[in-house]
Amino acid sequence: MKTRRQFIKQSMVGAMGMIACPTILPASVFGKNAPSGRINIGAIGTGRISRDHDMPGVWKYDDARIVAVCDLDANRVAEAKQHVESYYTKKTGAPYSGVTTYSNYRELLANPDIDAVLISTPDHWHARNAIDAVRAGKHVYLQKPTSLTISEGRKMSDAVNASGKVLQIGSQQRSMEQFRVACELVRNGRIGQLREIEIRLPGDPPGGNPEEMPIPQGFDYDAWLGQTPYVPYTVDRVHPQKGYGRPGWLRCEQFGAGMITGWGAHHFDIAHWAMDKEYSGPVEIEGKAEFPASGLWDVHGLYDTEMLYDNGVIVRGTTDSAEKPNGVLFTGTDGWIFVSRGAYAASPNEPISTSSKSLQASEPKILSPLSSDAIRLYVSNDHHGNWLDSIRTGQKNSTPAEVAHRSCTACLLQHIAMKLRRRLYWDPVLERFSNDDEANSMIARAHRPPYQF
């Protein structure tokens, strides 16, 4: 039976979407239903972002343990096992060899000892991996963006919500103080009435060698392509065979939309947070972009987009530069706020902001502390830790499935507008374009058998 205090607290969370991130609880709290008190985790996809960001994000917690790794590249899965076991050996001071390897993620999901998964696969596998994981009863930490298409994102969010499992998207800016503070300042009217948000993202260069190469031994290339059309193997289309540099698939439209989703999923999510539009989206979109005329890599380069929301705010997207550094600029009737990551990068070779300050304003007083009765937003100080807390407590995390889907949708809408180069009209409730069959045909893509949803 709930106490009045508990009831009031839960009611406030539901009404305002505000909750402080709880601490990880000790194993003794969970009694006989969880004798170890430990969350056993499998890592699906063991490339750059998994090794540098996701696995270190959870293995630092004593009550979470990476017990399995899975990859379609035999060399990478072997290196991942060594990577994890070396960490635990150093951490515990005793030899450790408790990591199981898989080449098929469905076999990992079938392991009843695994409670949750880190999904750090290429973008075109995200939604399918997540849907299968929650249907198998696993909690999910999913790298952004949520999906390759808007249709897949809707299926993913619906599957997660139906499962009752926890999904957190890897929009770690939600757990960086400067982004939360910027959004709180905007919501509390520190820059007057919000008029415009400018999102500045890095671009991707053209290039890449399209010449067909032999498929490396131990690499299941057909499964890696998944739902997308079969095309010949070349290393620049996939990932480096040695090392963990930035992979070529990030620059191929077959597998993702480029920086508009790669970085845009972070920054447009912050725009939604500041506007209180986390469960909605734009109503009008237009855009233009430069696309390579030759070479393997075909995602957009320089770009400009504009979206109108039903609150009258215009959200613009543009390529960053020395004059316009990577980040989010909020402009209102009484000033502006600019927020960025500063020098933070999720992996060593990821583009970072060229701004020296992570939070700036047109006047110092705009950044002064808010009053005790001000609007406050969800507090998380560690993104992976927040996910683990959510698994333990059943409470809402900082970026659940529907919020993640809406942020990704805003990015994919801009990508469609870049292609069609005309103003589009979007219904965020129906998730359809108004009177535009061509645009609606781009909400989904055909899936190659046997990898269809």
Side-chain angles (χ1 to χ4, degrees):
M1 182 175 180
K2 296 178 182 177
T3 65
R4 176 175 171 79
R5 186 175 183 180
Q6 289 172 325
F7 179 81
I8 292 172
K9 181 179 179 181
Q10 291 184 7
S11 297
M12 289 178 66
V13 170
M16 302 174 68
M18 296 160 51
I19 183 169
C21 175
T23 57
I24 296 287
L25 299 176
S28 59
V29 171
F30 299 96
K32 63 180 181 180
N33 292 328
S36 71
R38 190 177 73 188
I39 300 171
N40 289 329
I41 297 171
I44 301 174
T46 62
R48 173 186 64 117
I49 202 69
S50 180
R51 292 173 63 91
D52 293 342
H53 184 64
D54 288 334
M55 290 195 287
V58 299
W59 71 24
K60 64 186 179 184
Y61 289 96
D62 291 338
D63 59 354
R65 181 66 58 88
I66 298 173
V67 298
V69 292
C70 177
D71 203 283
L72 294 169
D73 187 321
N75 291 328
R76 287 196 160 193
V77 80
E79 290 173 0
K81 175 180 171 68
Q82 182 182 31
H83 186 54
V84 176
E85 291 180 347
S86 295
Y87 173 81
Y88 285 131
T89 295
K90 183 177 180 180
K91 181 176 181 177
T92 63
Y96 182 82
S97 59
V99 176
T100 304
T101 61
Y102 294 90
S103 59
N104 186 327
Y105 78 95
R106 295 174 184 84
E107 294 177 1
L108 182 152
L109 295 178
N111 185 340
D113 295 328
I114 294 174
D115 305 304
V117 292
L118 298 168
I119 297 176
S120 314
T121 55
D123 295 0
H124 64 291
W125 266 107
H126 284 181
R128 177 62 183 270
N129 289 154
I131 290 170
D132 288 346
V134 296
R135 287 179 176 171
K138 313 302 183 185
H139 302 289
V140 174
Y141 186 98
L142 177 65
Q143 261 306 322
K144 52 77 207 165
T146 57
S147 59
L148 185 65
T149 66
I150 294 170
S151 173
E152 291 174 14
R154 169 48 56 212
K155 290 180 173 65
M156 183 279 298
S157 183
D158 289 349
V160 172
N161 292 328
S163 73
K165 294 300 173 181
V166 171
L167 181 141
Q168 169 116 308
I169 196 71
S171 295
Q172 68 268 20
Q173 290 180 173
R174 286 281 184 130
S175 297
M176 297 179 184
E177 184 179 20
Q178 70 269 30
F179 287 98
R180 173 176 53 79
V181 169
C183 292
E184 287 178 341
L185 293 170
V186 171
R187 287 219 197 177
N188 281 281
R190 279 295 177 83
I191 56 173
Q193 185 175 351
L194 181 63
R195 297 295 195 191
E196 182 177 304
I197 304 174
E198 185 172 77
I199 307 294
R200 302 162 180 174
L201 308 175
D204 261 319
N209 181 5
E211 184 177 348
E212 183 175 2
M213 300 178 183
I215 298 171
Q217 186 175 2
F219 178 46
D220 190 343
Y221 179 58
D222 187 81
W224 186 90
L225 288 171
Q227 56 159 296
T228 72
Y230 188 89
V231 287
Y233 171 84
T234 177
V235 69
D236 284 352
R237 179 175 276 128
V238 187
H239 56 248
Q241 282 301 297
K242 292 184 179 180
Y244 291 87
R246 191 163 185 261
W249 65 259
L250 284 167
R251 302 172 187 179
C252 297
E253 282 201 336
Q254 181 167 343
F255 314 116
M259 284 295 187
I260 193 63
T261 53
W263 262 77
H266 292 296
H267 286 347
F268 288 99
D269 176 60
I270 297 303
H272 282 184
W273 203 15
M275 289 192 292
D276 193 17
K277 291 295 180 182
E278 297 167 277
Y279 294 91
S280 184
V283 293
E284 297 182 24
I285 313 100
E286 63 181 342
K288 59 182 180 180
E290 295 180 5
F291 290 91
S294 61
L296 176 69
W297 297 334
D298 57 358
V299 296
H300 72 87
L302 300 177
Y303 84 104
D304 286 288
T305 60
E306 180 179 298
M307 297 189 292
L308 174 66
Y309 285 72
D310 62 6
N311 58 2
V313 175
I314 294 174
V315 179
R316 303 184 191 278
T318 190
T319 311
D320 63 9
S321 64
E323 295 76 26
K324 291 187 171 186
N326 184 310
V328 184
L329 176 67
F330 300 99
T331 302
T333 54
D334 298 332
W336 55 263
I337 293 172
F338 176 74
V339 62
S340 75
R341 293 187 184 183
Y344 168 86
S347 67
N349 56 7
E350 182 181 77
I352 61 173
S353 171
T354 54
S355 172
S356 60
K357 295 182 178 179
S358 59
L359 186 61
Q360 304 171 59
S362 52
E363 296 183 53
K365 66 179 182 180
I366 290 175
L367 302 181
S368 61
L370 290 164
S371 63
S372 59
D373 61 347
I375 296 170
R376 299 290 182 177
L377 300 177
Y378 189 114
V379 178
S380 166
N381 297 314
D382 183 282
H383 210 59
H384 292 91
N386 179 238
W387 174 58
L388 296 173
D389 289 336
S390 185
I391 293 172
R392 289 223 177 270
T393 66
Q395 294 177 337
K396 176 185 174 183
N397 59 48
S398 62
T399 41
E402 184 65 18
V403 169
H405 165 60
R406 294 292 181 164
S407 298
C408 185
T409 294
C411 301
L412 291 169
L413 289 172
Q414 292 170 88
H415 187 249
I416 293 171
M418 290 178 195
K419 292 290 187 177
L420 298 180
R421 299 180 73 88
R422 61 174 177 265
R423 198 160 191 87
L424 303 172
Y425 300 89
W426 178 251
D427 185 330
V429 176
L430 299 177
E431 295 187 278
R432 299 281 294 175
F433 292 100
S434 301
N435 301 318
D436 198 319
D437 292 340
E438 184 179 14
N440 281 321
S441 72
M442 299 170 76
I443 292 173
R445 293 191 197 181
H447 292 171
R448 181 173 68 100
Y451 302 100
Q452 62 267 41
F453 281 28

